[in-house]
Every structure is written in C-alpha cells, then in structure tokens.
Amino acid sequence: MSPTEITGRTRIYGILADPIHHVKTPQVMNALLRRHGVEGVLVPFHVAPGGLQDLLGGLRRTGNFGGFIATVPHKTAMLRLCDRVSSAAEMIGAVNCVRREADGSLSGTMLDGIGFIEGLRAAGVEPRGLSAYLAGAGGAGRAIAFALAEAGVTRLTIANRTLKRARELAEAVAAAFPAVAVSAGTEGLSDHDLIVNATSLGLDPADPPPVDVTQLRPGQVVAEAIMEPEVTPLLEAAKACGCRVQPGRPMLDSQIALMARHMGALS
C-alpha cells in the first residue's frame, strides 16, 4: 500500500494555527512521512484561541489521532492545556509539539529553539560568541531566547511591544544562563551581530517592520522565524543593507524530524 493513500488505518496528525494559510509544515512533514513509509498524514486545523479547548477535547477522544504541532497564537496557551510537559517547555513557558497518548492524555514539548539554532548552523552561522537582538517575547521568542543563550551568545537584547514581557523574559534567561549579558529594550540594534524576528510581523505585507530597519548594517545576520512569505519585508530590507539573511524555512526543516519523533510518527 502506498503511504500517500489514506485508509481506515491512517494515523492522523495536525497543526493548529490562526491564521493557517501560511503554514508550510504539512508539505514538509508529509514528505518526511512518505520517505519513511509511515502510514500517516498531517493536516491543518484552523482554530481561533476561543475554540482551542473544545478542539482538544475532541482530539483527545479520537483514537487514530497521534498528536499535533501548535503554532501562532497557541504556543503559550498549550502549556496549561497539556496533561504533562517537558522541562524545556516548562522553562520556556510554551509548547509547540504535543503527543496524544493511548489514554487520550496530552504530552507537550517545545522544539522551536532547537530548530532555530540547528537551522542557523546548517546555514553556516554559529551563534556561539555572537551578540544577538531578538524581537518578540511570545512562544517562539521565549524558545529562541533560551536556545540562543544555551548556544553561547555573549549578549542578548530582547525587544517586545510590551516592555514588561521583554523584561520578564530577560530576567528568566539571565537566571538560567548567568554567563550571558541579557537586557530588555529596543536600543542598540546596530551593535548586534545577529538580528532575529520571532514576532508575527511580516505575515501580512502591510505589517510594520518588527525592528528599526534604518539601524541595519552590512555584515549582520538577519533571521526570520516566519515561514511564509519566504522573503519577508524585513529580509528584503536586510538584503538591501548588505546583511546576510536567514529565512524561517530552515528552522522548520530542522524541527520536522524532532516533531515526528515526539508525536510517535518516527521511532
């Protein structure tokens, strides 16, 4: 039987998002499942925050459902909706991959940070020893902040629309990684080696830029967590300034196998 054929034995996996049109995960995950001969399929679920708990109630009771990926804006909410979470997810305060156990309970973890760092390294960018400026303190931002600190950046500046949230994240990262100089604010973007957008700004072409692009300088690495569009307005501005750019897709590619294993699709 071809693994692309859906039958009564097909294992179902999902990705939960709002909006959903931009996600690239189904194509990448399903290609991986086909390569490994897995009789499973990952499908998109468009669910707004108000409907998230009701959807999970149904998925818990769906016997052929194996798990799901959670993305914007559900990562932080998923922490309290899972029955158990990994220590990494607990520290970060967000979940982006959930396994449905045989009894219907949900086990969550966070793989955004690992995926982002591995995506950088695959492109030849080693974070160790760099100074990093991170825009965004939400679910993806938290994961990437801890991952950058663990990867050995020397300095980390966290910017967020709500400064209080950026300060709280900076304090948490500094407590976990005291060797890293961590601060909150929007100053000094031009003084950093690595600029990271972990906000949702850029999904819509009409969005304002997530950082002050007039401060970009040649030689900086500007990286996105957004998958679609592949080249966001931020990356366009960065290329025009002579920066090296890193789109969001490598982060996804680096996470896919980890996510498939966590959901039980791959051993």
Side-chain angles (χ1 to χ4, degrees):
M1 187 205 72
S2 167
T4 60
E5 182 183 359
I6 296 176
T7 74
R9 296 181 181 275
T10 302
R11 193 78 169 152
I12 307 298
Y13 305 92
I15 177 168
L16 281 52
D18 180 32
I20 196 75
H21 63 85
H22 62 285
V23 299
K24 297 294 187 183
T25 309
Q27 300 96 302
V28 181
M29 179 66 78
N30 288 324
L32 176 72
L33 297 181
R34 286 194 297 272
R35 287 197 301 272
H36 287 268
V38 174
E39 191 172 354
V41 62
L42 185 136
V43 296
F45 288 80
H46 184 188
V47 57
L52 187 59
Q53 189 163 356
D54 287 342
L55 174 62
L56 294 188
L59 296 179
R60 287 174 180 272
R61 293 166 176 79
T62 304
N64 64 339
F65 188 77
F68 60 87
I69 297 159
T71 187
V72 177
H74 303 311
K75 296 177 187 180
T76 52
M78 204 60 63
L79 189 73
R80 61 178 174 78
L81 294 173
C82 288
D83 298 289
R84 64 195 66 83
V85 298
S86 67
S87 57
E90 191 73 51
M91 178 177 66
I92 293 163
V95 165
N96 81 328
C97 191
V98 177
R99 179 176 63 253
R100 179 192 176 276
E101 309 288 2
D103 62 359
S105 63
L106 302 177
S107 299
T109 192
M110 170 49 79
L111 301 170
D112 272 347
I114 299 170
F116 179 78
I117 296 299
E118 291 306 311
L120 281 178
R121 287 175 171 155
V125 178
E126 173 52 57
R128 184 168 300 280
L130 300 183
S131 60
Y133 182 103
L134 172 66
R142 290 186 65 88
I144 291 172
F146 280 99
L148 286 168
E150 187 172 19
V153 298
T154 56
R155 181 163 59 101
L156 176 62
T157 300
I158 301 171
N160 193 66
R161 182 178 56 185
T162 305
L163 183 57
K164 179 176 181 289
R165 194 171 188 181
R167 286 175 174 158
E168 290 172 350
L169 176 54
E171 290 170 2
V173 174
F177 299 93
V180 180
V182 188
S183 62
T186 58
E187 300 80 16
L189 183 143
S190 61
D191 297 330
H192 293 75
D193 306 307
L194 172 64
I195 315 299
V196 182
N197 176 34
T199 76
S200 60
L201 293 175
L203 287 174
D204 187 328
D207 287 340
V211 301
D212 181 0
V213 296
T214 65
Q215 293 189 46
L216 295 174
R217 57 172 174 77
Q220 289 177 309
V221 178
V222 179
E224 272 283 8
I226 289 174
M227 311 291 171
E228 177 70 24
E230 182 177 357
V231 180
T232 63
L234 172 62
L235 295 187
E236 288 180 352
K239 286 166 64 174
C241 290
C243 301
R244 179 174 179 177
V245 300
Q246 172 82 345
R249 177 62 183 267
M251 180 176 78
L252 173 61
D253 290 340
S254 297
Q255 287 187 85
I256 287 297
L258 294 171
M259 289 173 162
R261 290 189 182 98
H262 180 74
M263 293 188 296
L266 297 181
S267 57

